[in-house]
Amino acid sequence: MKYFHILLAPLLLLWGCQPSQKTAGPSIKVLLIEGQNNHRNWPETSPLMKSTLEKTGRFEVTITRTPPSDGRKQDFSASQPLIADMPEDLQQQWATWRPDFTPYDVVISNYNGVFWPEEVQLDFVEFVNNGGGFVPIHAANNAFTNWEEYQKIIGVGGWYGRWTEKHGSKIIWQDGKMVLDNSPGKCGAHGKRQPVYIDNRNQDHPIIKGFPSTWKHPTDEIYYNMCGPAKGINVVASAYSDPDTGGSGKNQPIVITLNYGQGRVFHNMLGHTTEAFTGAGFQHLLVRGTEWAATGKVTFPEPDTADFSTSTIVTKEPGA
Ligand code: ZN
C-alpha cells in the first residue's frame, strides 16, 4: 500500500498540471441565451453545449431563456417580428426579461426569434464593445436582420429578408483567401444536410491549433450566400458546399472570428442537427472558441487527432 502511494503522488501532481483538468485557472462565466429558434432542437442543443463546456472544469454556464414565440409561421422573406407584434400576455413576459450581461465573460447565442427589447439590445452592444466575448451558433446568425450593430458583430448572416444590395457582401473562400461576392440577390442558403469535411484555413489560430488540416463532421448544413458588413473577418475553417446536393460548388467560410470594439466574436455557423453538437471537432471548437472569445487566449492543450476519426463522410472535394 505504501508503495502505491509513492507511485501515485507524482502522478497526481502531473495530472494537476494539465490545463484541461479541473484544477485549471478560474472559471470563465458564460451566459447562454435560448428560448426561440426556428431550429426546434434548441432544448437539446443548449444543454449539450453547457455540458461540453462545463465538463472541462474551465467554464460556468448560466442559461437565460427568453419568452416563447407566439407560434406564428416563420417568414424567411421578412425581418423577425417585434415585441409590439406579440399578444399582450407575451409582451408582459418580455417586459421582465432583462439579462444582466456584466457578470459574464462571454455570451453564447442559441437564439433566433423575436427582436430583443431595445434596452437589452443596447446592453448587449455595450457588453461586446467593452470587451465581452460573443459566440453565435448556427441560426443565431439568422437573427435580428435589421439590427445594424448585431450584423456588424456577427459579420454575416442569412435569410429573413437579407439581400446583398441592402445588407452587404457575401463571403466565399477562394484561391487561399476570403473573397467578397457582391452579386445581387437573397442571402442565406444551404444544400442537403449530410456529413461533411471541414478544412482549416488558419492553422496558427489558437482556436484550431492542432486540429487535422481536414476533419470529419457529422450530418450538418453548410450555409452559403451569407452576407453582411463582413468587416475584419478572419476565416478559421471552411467547408465545400457540394453542388450535387444543392450546394454552391464553392468553399464556404463556416467558422470565422472578428472583433467588435474591444470584444472578440467566435462565429460558428455549424450546428443544425443535434448530432452536429456531438462531433469531436464541434466540441473542441466550442471549448476553444468560447475561451478565446472570453479571454483572447486558448489554454487547452492541442486536441488528440484521434478524436477526429469518428464521423462518417459521404462527400469530399479537395480544398481550394
Ligand atoms: Zn439549420
Side-chain angles (χ1 to χ4, degrees):
M1 206 52 200
K2 191 179 167 194
Y3 193 58
F4 171 77
H5 283 298
I6 288 165
L7 276 178
L8 192 63
L11 274 176
L12 281 171
L13 272 176
L14 200 67
W15 182 67
C17 291
Q18 298 300 309
S20 63
Q21 303 300 337
K22 290 182 189 302
T23 48
S27 276
I28 293 171
K29 291 191 165 42
V30 182
L31 182 68
L32 194 161
I33 304 177
E34 62 168 31
Q36 296 189 26
N37 205 314
N38 59 317
H39 293 67
R40 297 185 191 282
N41 57 346
W42 64 261
E44 296 167 12
T45 59
S46 289
L48 267 172
M49 285 194 279
K50 180 177 162 71
S51 74
T52 299
L53 290 168
E54 288 189 339
K55 75 185 176 193
T56 68
R58 185 96 173 92
F59 303 93
E60 184 186 322
V61 181
T62 303
I63 295 182
T64 179
R65 184 174 290 184
T66 68
S69 77
D70 64 351
R72 72 178 61 199
K73 200 167 178 293
Q74 296 284 324
D75 183 354
F76 292 104
S77 66
S79 187
Q80 294 81 0
L82 304 171
I83 293 169
D85 302 324
M86 296 293 107
E88 185 60 33
D89 60 323
L90 288 180
Q91 289 194 35
Q92 282 173 14
Q93 289 185 44
W94 275 107
T96 65
W97 187 72
R98 291 290 182 278
D100 178 8
F101 298 108
T102 56
Y104 298 98
D105 301 303
V106 56
V107 170
I108 298 177
S109 176
N110 196 19
Y111 180 90
N112 176 30
V114 174
F115 270 79
W116 295 339
E118 198 179 339
E119 196 182 324
V120 177
Q121 292 183 29
L122 291 172
D123 286 351
F124 174 73
V125 170
E126 192 183 352
F127 167 78
V128 181
N129 196 35
N130 289 342
F134 184 51
V135 180
I137 301 290
H138 196 59
N141 70 16
N142 294 191
F144 309 134
T145 299
N146 292 324
W147 174 7
E148 207 177 320
E149 294 312 304
Y150 186 81
Q151 303 315 309
K152 288 181 193 166
I153 289 170
I154 61 173
V156 289
W159 296 273
Y160 296 91
R162 285 173 173 86
W163 294 76
T164 307
E165 298 92 315
K166 187 174 176 204
H167 295 91
S169 309
K170 298 164 189 162
I171 58 170
I172 51 176
W173 182 267
Q174 204 169 56
D175 302 325
K177 60 180 188 297
M178 191 186 86
V179 175
L180 298 178
D181 171 8
N182 292 310
S183 58
K186 277 185 185 174
C187 304
H190 60 78
K192 188 181 166 214
R193 289 158 206 149
Q194 57 194 7
V196 287
Y197 273 96
I198 310 293
D199 297 304
N200 296 351
R201 298 304 183 185
N202 188 347
Q203 197 69 44
D204 292 332
H205 198 292
I207 290 177
I208 212 153
K209 207 163 173 40
F211 280 44
S213 58
T214 297
W215 44 278
K216 299 169 180 176
H217 177 66
T219 298
D220 208 337
E221 279 170 352
I222 300 306
Y223 281 174
Y224 66 92
N225 286 350
M226 303 302 280
C227 76
K231 291 276 190 300
I233 288 177
N234 171 37
V235 178
V236 175
S238 68
Y240 180 69
S241 176
D242 189 346
D244 292 341
T245 50
S248 64
K250 295 170 184 164
N251 286 288
Q252 303 300 150
I254 206 79
V255 180
I256 62 175
T257 62
L258 62 160
N259 294 319
Y260 178 90
Q262 301 298 310
R264 284 167 299 273
V265 181
F266 163 61
H267 181 165
N268 185 358
M269 303 186 209
L270 297 168
H272 177 88
T273 63
T274 303
E275 187 190 0
F277 289 75
T278 68
F282 187 98
Q283 295 195 348
H284 281 299
L285 275 179
L286 181 69
V287 164
R288 300 171 73 85
T290 304
E291 186 186 32
W292 178 84
T295 69
K297 290 185 291 193
V298 178
T299 61
F300 290 93
E302 293 179 14
D304 185 344
T305 51
D307 290 355
F308 295 82
S309 59
T310 50
S311 304
T312 52
I313 295 299
V314 295
T315 180
K316 167 64 183 160
E317 185 77 7

